């Protein structure tokens, strides 16, 4: 969770998807870093690869926009 991800340097905004994730569905080593956390928000690219995990939905959207990505909510 502490790794930096290269979001690329493309000039056009890429769509990324923001979705809620139950902490219990994450690998054990990630869960161990999240004591007491039940819900996170994931940023995924169009291929479904998880780019980031954050604790707050607004932060997920901010992170995407700061990296010149176009966030879309997934329900």
């Amino acid at each position: 969770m502490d790794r930096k991800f290269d979001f690329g340097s493309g000039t056009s905004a890429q769509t990324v998807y923001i979705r809620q994730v139950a902490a219990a569905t994450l690998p054990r080593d990630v869960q161990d870093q999240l004591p007491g956390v039940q819900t996170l928000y994931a940023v995924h690219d169009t291929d479904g690869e998880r780019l980031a995990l954050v604790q707050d939905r607004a932060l997920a959207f901010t992170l995407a926009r700061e990296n010149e990505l176009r966030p879309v909510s997934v329900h």
Side-chain angles (χ1 to χ4, degrees):
M1 288 198 26
D2 294 336
R3 291 185 304 147
K4 293 194 185 254
F5 182 81
D6 179 9
F7 286 98
S9 58
T11 56
S12 63
Q14 284 183 272
T15 299
V16 291
Y17 300 96
I18 311 296
R19 74 177 186 95
Q20 188 174 6
V21 177
T25 65
L26 298 171
R28 174 54 60 194
D29 61 324
V30 175
Q31 290 181 45
D32 291 344
Q33 298 176 45
L34 305 167
V37 175
Q38 305 225 349
T39 303
L40 295 161
Y41 291 85
V43 179
H44 292 269
D45 67 13
T46 56
D47 294 325
E49 181 180 354
R50 184 181 299 144
L51 305 176
L53 280 172
V54 295
Q55 278 190 285
D56 182 80
R57 184 177 184 273
L59 179 59
F61 277 83
T62 300
L63 175 66
R65 289 184 184 117
E66 284 181 351
N67 286 281
E68 299 180 10
L69 301 168
R70 188 176 18 166
V72 177
S73 182
V74 176
H75 301 280

